[in-house]
Amino acid sequence: MRRVRVGRHSVQVSEVLSSYWYFAAERQHVYHARLRGEPGPWTDDPVISRFRFTNAYRAADRVSQDLIRVAYEGSQNAADVVLRVMLFRFFNKPSTWEALESRFDEITADSFDVDTFSGVLDLLLARGERVYSAAYIVPPPPFGAARKHRNHLLLIEHMMRSGVVAQVEAAKSLREVFETIASYPSLGPFLSYQLAIDLNYTSVIDFDENDFVVPGPGARSGVAKCFPDLNGASAEDVIRWMVDTQEDQFDQNGIQFSDLFGRALTLIDCQNLFCETDKYARVMHPHIRGVGGRSRIKQQFAPHGLPATPFFPPKWGINERASADLAEPAVTA
């Protein structure tokens, strides 16, 4: 196996690293093809066509898209925005948000009430409906309620009353936002980082996504598969190296990458891509083990109609380019 320099460290590289960049480009190709309304299949890759993977860019994922819209539709008062982001992401299920919004119309910090909001979720559960998604599960905080969803609503109430909005507004970096969120119960490092990224999409704060990164378990497994011997380098070092060298590595692998309407991959995207590469390698490189020993991909890919026109944080300046690109007629064979 060859070695590369990551900072001061000479790290070992496996064949999975090339698959990382291939997967990123192919998954992004599928994303653009679906946005243009091209008929499937959108890829010849047997793994990507069969199994469910997130987009190469976190902000382009369906639920993140829903969250970004929730953040920008309605009052831009900082307290209202922070409340909406936490309320959406703690349950991470668009149908749960829609049920709350249909009951309370505009959801604001002043109108938020644990009892009435919990009552809506009680009714959903009584009808046999789920109120949580399977992703980003927030452990139940220790507030003593019998139902998990009420404990999460109590956590939101606690955060709002203890000044989380002012602390987020006063933060000098994305890391400070992360540290603020991580100081609350049940919000471990990875979830706190994800919430910091969510808040950074909004009009409340605006920090560089390349400020810092917190790798999740799946990403650490993907790093282990791509770099079997880190030789003292950290997973964070490797993810930053991926961001810094992405153009060179696409070129070295002979891969044409269609980015996100002019936006390069950032730390959060490369972190996510390690997680997805970990899954992809379970099929394509089954002999290479990561962390945890998982050998199968559980979720099958099932398209649900055409994806909506994307909407990204306006401060990124890419919505106009996205609209212009999608207005161009698709090239057919």
Side-chain angles (χ1 to χ4, degrees), residues 31 48 75 242 297:
Y31 170 72
I48 296 175
S75 164
M242 300 290 273
I297 307 174

Side-chain angles (χ1 to χ4, degrees), residues 136-282:
Y136 296 158
I137 297 174
V138 181
F143 287 101
R147 305 297 295 268
K148 181 170 68 172
H149 63 271
R150 186 176 179 87
N151 280 311
H152 283 132
L153 295 173
L154 287 167
L155 174 58
I156 293 173
E157 180 183 64
H158 169 64
M159 293 175 74
M160 297 296 289
R161 287 182 175 178
S162 63
V164 69
V165 177
Q167 293 175 70
V168 167
E169 286 187 294
K172 299 296 190 294
S173 67
L174 188 61
R175 183 182 292 276
E176 284 191 26
V177 176
F178 159 78
E179 290 170 349
T180 294
I181 297 168
S183 68
Y184 289 94
S186 296
L187 300 177
F190 182 65
L191 284 170
S192 297
Y193 174 61
Q194 298 294 321
L195 277 168
I197 292 293
D198 290 333
L199 290 170
N200 201 47
Y201 290 151
T202 74
S203 59
V204 177
I205 54 175
D206 186 14
F207 297 115
D208 189 344
E209 280 194 348
N210 289 326
D211 185 357
F212 86 115
V213 66
V214 177
R220 291 185 182 278
S221 185
V223 168
K225 289 181 179 180
C226 292
F227 301 91
D229 177 14
L230 288 175
N231 192 30
S234 67
E236 291 85 350
D237 292 335
V238 166
I239 295 170
R240 186 170 294 280
W241 180 78
M242 300 290 273
V243 170
D244 292 342
T245 63
Q246 59 187 283
E247 292 185 10
D248 290 341
Q249 294 200 65
F250 280 126
D251 287 344
Q252 290 168 13
N253 285 282
I255 295 171
Q256 183 175 358
F257 181 68
S258 298
D259 60 25
L260 191 69
F261 309 107
R263 184 177 176 85
L265 295 166
T266 64
L267 289 174
I268 182 64
D269 304 316
C270 286
Q271 189 276 155
N272 279 10
L273 280 167
F274 270 119
C275 184
E276 299 309 287
T277 299
D278 173 62
K279 293 191 295 186
Y280 183 76
R282 293 174 198 172

Side-chain angles (χ1 to χ4, degrees), residues 36-38 326-332:
R36 290 191 297 266
E38 296 178 11
L326 294 176
E328 296 177 0
V331 177
T332 56

Side-chain angles (χ1 to χ4, degrees), residues 114-151:
V114 170
D115 288 337
T116 54
F117 278 60
S118 183
V120 173
L121 302 185
D122 287 338
L123 289 173
L124 292 178
L125 290 168
R127 295 201 299 258
E129 298 181 32
R130 295 172 57 190
V131 298
Y132 290 93
S133 82
Y136 296 158
I137 297 174
V138 181
F143 287 101
R147 305 297 295 268
K148 181 170 68 172
H149 63 271
R150 186 176 179 87
N151 280 311

